[in-house]
Amino acid sequence: MSQLDRSLIAGLPLFRTAKPEDLDRVLSSARSLRVAKDTTIFEEEAEGHSFFLLLDGHVRVVKTTPGGDQVIVRYISAGELIGIAHAMGRTTYPASAVAAVDCVVLAWPSAMWPEFMAQIPGFGETTYQTVGSRLQDVQARLVEMSTEQVEQRVARVVLRLAEQNGRKTGEGVEIDFPISRQDIAEMTGTTLHTVSRLLAAWEAKGLVKSGRQRVTVVEAGRLQSLAEGRAAST
Amino acid sequence: MSQLDRSLIAGLPLFRTAKPEDLDRVLSSARSLRVAKDTTIFEEEAEGHSFFLLLDGHVRVVKTTPGGDQVIVRYISAGELIGIAHAMGRTTYPASAVAAVDCVVLAWPSAMWPEFMAQIPGFGETTYQTVGSRLQDVQARLVEMSTEQVEQRVARVVLRLAEQNGRKTGEGVEIDFPISRQDIAEMTGTTLHTVSRLLAAWEAKGLVKSGRQRVTVVEAGRLQSLAEGRAAST
DNA sequence: CGTCCATTTGATCAGGGTCAAGACGAGTGG
DNA sequence: CCACTCGTCTTGACCCTGATCAAATGGACG
């Protein structure tokens, strides 16, 4: 159990205003763990004994219905906290977290949450803003689900993922973790069949390139037009 | 501008742990206003100069899309705060608030928010829990929108409204503010036509009673079955 | 009594879900 | 190195839920 290096977390917005000795204290109580692709970090409804900081990788947050349907609530990328149910006065996790790729996370017992809140300058403020912006985000998606056609929703999701987790390649911006048609369907409330058809149609028009668990946005502008409901010309 | 009475807010969870002198301070800086039915309290996107406490009545929180569609994000009932964008680091309101009935609200300038947070014991904690539970709620609705049929969603909304804002009558539990088919449609992502047909069908089966801007749940149990996707027998 | 909404209800139709097969590709074990 | 297998993706056919279009009815309120 060697001491983790301060530089791991020093650059994060979350610890922007923390003092160096705070960082050391935070790290000394952290367990760091490696999480293999497709492994569950924590399960919906389970006792929320820990909270986590994603150091590297991508995690999807998933809710499962009694009927067995899954919905991907959001993707988390490196630098963000996961499992902060505690911050909202919950004792169980409201959703499951699954590694979309091999990940590295830091974990702390939830019992330490109050200590972090009280002792690390800016920590509380930042996390509450995070919760607030997640609320904004989910509300916006609720509106989209209520008012938009499937094609618009899928276009939006693909654009957002490319924006937030994109890697520039020769052909455009590629979503930099493996994402299946099924995953996109679970983010947009449709089926993998419909997603497949849409991506095929877009590819034919040159808007995207895609393959097995891989999507690249080629013409963001025209995809944006689709997302906004104006039919893309040509 | 007479001093407001302490008893107006003394019973609220929000001020549960506040001291009497805090209550007086809070009230002395409050404007109280009467808001007529269908009047807008604040407008989406507008500068968030005030936050509000709903003392009496019901308020609906509405988002409007560029295309002009409206979505009712939630209903607020007496005792809750509205317009707390500030708590989440926003400067503009993320949605509009409209009085569903004649209302009474207290208003404070947003500039006082930090003061409330710092000086009133329990205030910060309670509001953050509120934000947290709204996030939970919206996420749950996102899952429903993604996975359930229209009939289930409408059944759920009617049940929830009756539960949270119900008044017991001779026939069952009546939602105690005027609510149109259009309103229900805007909460469930469907059309007033479909809502009308569903309510008519349910009424024929004795599950509900309804009329102009009025809905009464008669057989909550069987409606619950519908909400959960099991077809209601008979 | 007239006007304005909310509501109802019928007819039509299309977006997209469901069902069914197959093709493709990546990893595995022999 | 190759055959096999399993999971992802594609694509066609069909059909159902619920949106859209259109009109009429009925209360509530001035």
Side-chain angles (χ1 to χ4, degrees):
Chain A
M1 201 195 222
S2 60
Q3 176 67 27
L4 300 156
D5 193 274
R6 213 184 272 166
S7 65
L8 280 175
I9 60 169
L12 302 179
L14 189 61
F15 296 113
R16 201 191 41 241
T17 52
K19 297 183 291 286
E21 59 265 32
D22 291 326
L23 298 183
D24 286 340
R25 199 145 35 87
V26 159
L27 286 169
S28 69
S29 52
R31 280 174 300 133
S32 97
L33 39 139
R34 207 159 296 277
V35 183
K37 186 183 170 189
D38 291 327
T39 305
T40 296
I41 301 176
F42 55 80
E43 200 86 47
E44 186 171 355
E45 303 288 282
E47 206 54 42
H49 45 68
S50 299
F51 63 95
F52 306 84
L53 173 64
L54 181 61
L55 282 183
D56 188 55
H58 294 276
V59 170
R60 57 170 180 273
V61 177
V62 179
K63 278 176 90 75
T64 305
T65 68
D69 295 310
Q70 295 205 330
V71 175
I72 298 181
V73 177
R74 78 175 65 86
Y75 276 89
I76 302 281
S77 40
E80 293 185 73
L81 290 174
I82 347 177
I84 54 174
H86 221 75
M88 310 179 305
R90 284 190 56 118
T91 60
T92 60
Y93 300 116
S96 304
V98 181
V101 295
D102 290 349
C103 290
V104 180
V105 304
L106 296 182
W108 293 271
S110 293
M112 296 196 65
W113 181 264
E115 194 176 317
F116 275 45
M117 291 294 284
Q119 297 184 3
I120 302 171
F123 184 88
E125 203 178 347
T126 310
T127 56
Y128 285 133
Q129 292 215 358
T130 301
V131 174
S133 70
R134 286 183 188 175
L135 177 57
Q136 298 302 318
D137 185 68
V138 179
Q139 272 179 11
R141 286 174 55 200
L142 189 70
V143 171
E144 290 163 16
M145 286 294 304
S146 301
T147 61
E148 294 179 353
Q149 304 273 96
V150 168
E151 182 169 37
Q152 299 180 55
R153 304 202 305 261
V154 174
R156 251 184 232 289
V157 160
V158 169
L159 276 171
R160 181 153 38 88
L161 289 175
E163 229 166 77
Q164 293 175 359
N165 310 291
R167 191 163 34 82
K168 246 195 121 28
T169 70
E171 313 191 288
V173 182
E174 178 173 354
I175 297 171
D176 75 347
F177 50 81
I179 184 163
S180 70
R181 308 290 184 263
Q182 176 71 37
D183 292 332
I184 296 176
E186 288 177 4
M187 300 183 75
T188 51
T190 180
T191 62
L192 77 164
H193 307 277
T194 298
V195 173
S196 178
R197 282 184 245 265
L198 285 172
L199 288 178
W202 294 345
E203 185 141 14
K205 294 199 277 182
L207 304 188
V208 304
K209 287 251 169 195
S210 77
R212 192 190 180 80
Q213 312 214 86
R214 201 179 50 74
V215 178
T216 305
V217 174
V218 179
E219 294 228 34
R222 284 165 66 203
L223 202 53
Q224 183 69 38
S225 298
L226 278 186
E228 287 167 8
R230 305 174 258 133
S233 48
T234 319
Chain B
M1 200 191 224
S2 60
Q3 177 67 27
L4 299 157
D5 194 273
R6 217 184 268 165
S7 65
L8 280 174
I9 60 171
L12 302 179
L14 188 63
F15 296 113
R16 201 190 44 242
T17 52
K19 298 184 291 285
E21 59 266 32
D22 291 326
L23 298 183
D24 286 339
R25 199 143 35 88
V26 159
L27 286 169
S28 70
S29 52
R31 280 173 299 134
S32 97
L33 39 140
R34 207 160 296 277
V35 183
K37 185 182 170 190
D38 291 327
T39 305
T40 297
I41 300 175
F42 54 80
E43 199 86 47
E44 186 171 355
E45 305 286 282
E47 205 56 41
H49 46 68
S50 300
F51 64 95
F52 307 85
L53 173 63
L54 181 61
L55 282 183
D56 189 54
H58 293 276
V59 170
R60 59 171 179 273
V61 178
V62 179
K63 280 176 87 78
T64 305
T65 67
D69 294 311
Q70 294 205 331
V71 175
I72 298 181
V73 177
R74 80 175 64 85
Y75 276 89
I76 302 281
S77 41
E80 294 185 73
L81 291 174
I82 346 177
I84 54 175
H86 221 75
M88 310 179 306
R90 284 189 56 117
T91 60
T92 60
Y93 299 116
S96 304
V98 180
V101 295
D102 291 346
C103 291
V104 179
V105 304
L106 295 182
W108 294 271
S110 291
M112 296 195 65
W113 182 264
E115 194 175 317
F116 275 44
M117 291 294 285
Q119 298 184 3
I120 302 171
F123 185 88
E125 204 177 345
T126 310
T127 56
Y128 285 134
Q129 293 214 358
T130 300
V131 175
S133 70
R134 286 184 187 173
L135 177 58
Q136 298 301 317
D137 185 69
V138 179
Q139 270 177 12
R141 287 174 55 201
L142 189 70
V143 170
E144 290 164 16
M145 286 294 305
S146 301
T147 60
E148 294 178 352
Q149 304 275 96
V150 168
E151 182 169 37
Q152 298 181 56
R153 304 202 305 260
V154 174
R156 250 184 233 289
V157 160
V158 169
L159 276 170
R160 181 153 37 87
L161 289 175
E163 230 166 77
Q164 293 176 358
N165 310 290
R167 189 165 36 82
K168 236 183 133 28
T169 69
E171 311 192 290
V173 182
E174 178 174 353
I175 297 171
D176 75 347
F177 50 81
I179 183 163
S180 69
R181 309 290 184 264
Q182 176 70 37
D183 292 332
I184 297 176
E186 288 176 3
M187 300 183 74
T188 51
T190 179
T191 62
L192 76 165
H193 307 278
T194 299
V195 172
S196 178
R197 280 184 243 266
L198 285 172
L199 288 179
W202 294 345
E203 186 141 13
K205 292 199 279 181
L207 304 188
V208 303
K209 287 250 170 197
S210 77
R212 191 189 180 80
Q213 312 214 86
R214 200 178 51 76
V215 178
T216 305
V217 174
V218 178
E219 293 228 36
R222 284 165 66 203
L223 202 53
Q224 183 69 39
S225 298
L226 278 185
E228 286 166 7
R230 306 173 257 134
S233 48
T234 321

